[in-house]
């Protein structure tokens, strides 16, 4: 299968979904990580132009750990809006990945970039398969057919998973991928008083407690017309 994770910022995948992507990769599926923004505003000291290049390199290094493909959206960080121009970008991202399964941000996430990326994925879902949408660079891919899952929120606040993936056996690789985002360890410590490694471990342990395993990631499946499945596709 083609597995696509669409996130707003360069480290969102590793925080919220990397364990599941690692399991898919180990099973031989094609994994693509699409980062919609350039991550350029994620530091109080480093200038945006410099930081954007750093964060793209960090994203590619993290993806290389599992042989994942990267699609770089390049939208200005902190400036995601569900408008026509950004929908064109999202349609092309979905067309390039031609996904069977999509992971993206929950509608009730804490960050507007996260929420709007999730909305853009929802809005672009059918248009990826319609060949006459104006302004697109990529040819249309399969119409419909992809199942969409919303990822957990940071801290699990306001999110009730309906499905879980056991990531106990791959948690160390998830940490390895996150550690590629060196710029954000200092930024999150200085701006938010947060240790990223501690954060993902606490959240994975908490979800694992509910799932009956050591470490887990939680998701909710989007049940909508032409997207429901009669069998589980999560690993």
């Amino acid at each position: 299968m083609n597995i696509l994770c669409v996130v707003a910022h360069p480290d969102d995948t590793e925080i919220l979904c990397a364990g599941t992507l690692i399991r898919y990769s180990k099973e031989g599926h094609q994994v693509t990580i699409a980062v919609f923004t350039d991550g350029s505003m994620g530091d109080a000291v480093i200038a945006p132009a410099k930081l954007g290049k750093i964060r793209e390199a960090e994203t590619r290094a993290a993806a290389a750990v599992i042989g994942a493909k990267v699609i770089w959206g390049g939208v200005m960080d902190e400036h995601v809006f569900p408008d026509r121009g950004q929908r064109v970008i999202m349609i092309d991202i979905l067309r390039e990945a031609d996904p069977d399964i999509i992971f993206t941000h929950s509608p009730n996430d804490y960050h507007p970039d996260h929420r709007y990326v999730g909305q853009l994925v929802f809005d672009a879902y059918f248009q990826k398969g319609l060949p006459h949408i104006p302004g697109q660079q990529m040819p249309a891919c399969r119409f419909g057919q992809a199942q969409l899952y919303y990822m957990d929120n940071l801290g699990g606040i306001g999110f009730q998973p309906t499905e879980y993936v056991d990531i106990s056996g791959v948690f160390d690789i998830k940490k390895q991928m996150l550690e590629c985002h060196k710029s954000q360890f200092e930024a999150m410590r200085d701006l938010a008083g947060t240790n990223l490694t501690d954060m993902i471990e606490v959240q994975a342990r908490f979800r694992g407690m509910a799932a009956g395993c050591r470490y887990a990631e939680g998701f909710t499946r989007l049940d909508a017309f032409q997207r429901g499945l009669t069998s589980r596709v999560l690993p």
Side-chain angles (χ1 to χ4, degrees):
M1 294 186 295
N2 293 337
I3 314 300
L4 173 64
C5 180
V6 187
V7 294
H9 307 114
D11 56 347
D12 291 335
T13 297
E14 289 71 27
I15 293 170
L16 299 172
C17 189
T20 300
L21 299 185
I22 294 163
R23 288 200 52 183
Y24 277 122
S25 180
K26 284 180 171 290
E27 292 175 3
H29 304 291
Q30 172 63 56
V31 174
T32 299
I33 297 170
V35 180
F36 199 66
T37 79
D38 60 8
S40 61
M41 303 294 173
D43 193 280
V45 177
I46 302 174
K50 180 179 179 180
L51 183 61
K53 294 178 181 178
I54 291 171
R55 299 200 71 188
E56 182 176 359
E58 290 173 342
T59 296
R60 295 188 183 280
V65 172
I66 61 169
K69 177 182 176 180
V70 173
I71 299 176
W72 191 252
V75 172
M76 185 185 296
D77 191 7
E78 305 295 331
H79 289 76
V80 179
F81 303 98
D83 58 24
R84 185 182 183 278
Q86 294 192 18
R87 188 189 292 188
V88 166
I89 296 171
M90 186 62 76
I91 292 170
D92 276 338
I93 287 173
L94 297 185
R95 288 179 172 188
E96 183 173 349
D98 190 17
D100 296 286
I101 300 170
I102 305 169
F103 297 97
T104 195
H105 296 289
S106 168
N108 69 334
D109 205 299
Y110 84 105
H111 196 296
D113 282 359
H114 293 195
R115 295 197 306 271
Y116 292 145
V117 162
Q119 182 176 335
L120 284 164
V121 171
F122 182 95
D123 294 345
Y125 178 87
F126 283 118
Q127 290 157 350
K128 67 183 174 60
L130 297 174
H132 303 300
I133 302 295
Q136 302 303 143
Q137 300 300 309
M138 298 294 295
C141 64
R142 293 172 293 170
F143 182 80
Q145 299 187 27
Q147 182 60 59
L148 192 150
Y149 288 88
Y150 290 124
M151 303 180 298
D152 211 342
N153 292 341
L154 270 70
I157 298 170
F159 189 86
Q160 183 58 56
T162 56
E163 299 197 49
Y164 297 87
V165 174
D166 183 349
I167 62 167
S168 305
V170 299
F171 187 73
D172 286 344
I173 305 175
K174 176 183 169 86
K175 288 197 297 183
Q176 181 185 350
M177 292 177 68
L178 180 63
E179 287 165 1
C180 292
H181 295 273
K182 294 181 176 63
S183 69
Q184 290 308 284
F185 276 82
E186 291 186 10
M188 288 296 289
R189 181 195 64 206
D190 295 342
L191 291 172
T194 298
N195 181 295
L196 287 178
T197 303
D198 287 349
M199 182 174 72
I200 67 167
E201 179 150 18
V202 169
Q203 189 153 348
R205 281 288 293 119
F206 176 71
R207 294 307 188 195
M209 189 187 313
C213 59
R214 177 70 178 172
Y215 295 114
E217 290 172 342
F219 304 93
T220 60
R221 192 181 76 183
L222 171 63
D223 291 325
F225 182 60
Q226 292 192 340
R227 304 179 208 197
L229 295 177
T230 58
S231 61
R232 178 183 168 95
V233 293
L234 293 177

